[in-house]
Amino acid sequence: MLIITRKLNEKIVIDDDITITLLDLKDNQARIGIDAPRHIGVYRQEIYQRIKEANLESLDINDSDMLDALS
């Protein structure tokens, strides 16, 4: 894991296509803005996990080991 320190309104650039901006820090929360092309999915981790689980259920795969392997 790469750990980067940023001040308000400073940015991180990933591969020319994705820019992450630190917008606000308040009460132990950071608000970030993510600018990415539409074809790149950007999700909160808990939402992404639900999407993966729903996709596996739609394939009728109920093996918990398979779910763990995809995490």
Side-chain angles (χ1 to χ4, degrees):
M1 175 187 302
L2 174 64
I3 299 172
I4 300 174
T5 303
R6 298 280 68 202
K7 294 179 182 174
L8 286 179
N9 296 313
E10 289 185 335
K11 301 175 189 255
I12 298 167
V13 177
I14 301 171
D15 204 28
D16 291 334
D17 292 337
I18 302 169
T19 303
I20 300 171
T21 306
L22 180 59
L23 300 174
D24 190 24
L25 290 171
K26 184 171 153 185
D27 297 330
N28 203 27
Q29 281 190 326
R31 288 184 62 227
I32 61 172
I34 302 170
D35 185 18
R38 289 196 177 272
H39 69 275
I40 296 176
V42 178
Y43 305 98
R44 295 188 331 243
Q45 189 252 345
E46 64 274 14
I47 300 298
Y48 184 69
Q49 187 64 38
R50 285 188 216 155
I51 292 169
K52 288 191 330 182
E53 289 170 3
N55 287 341
L56 286 174
E57 286 175 12
S58 72
L59 294 172
D60 247 358
I61 298 174
N62 295 319
D63 187 353
S64 63
D65 291 336
M66 179 67 95
L67 289 172
D68 291 342
L70 294 174
S71 298

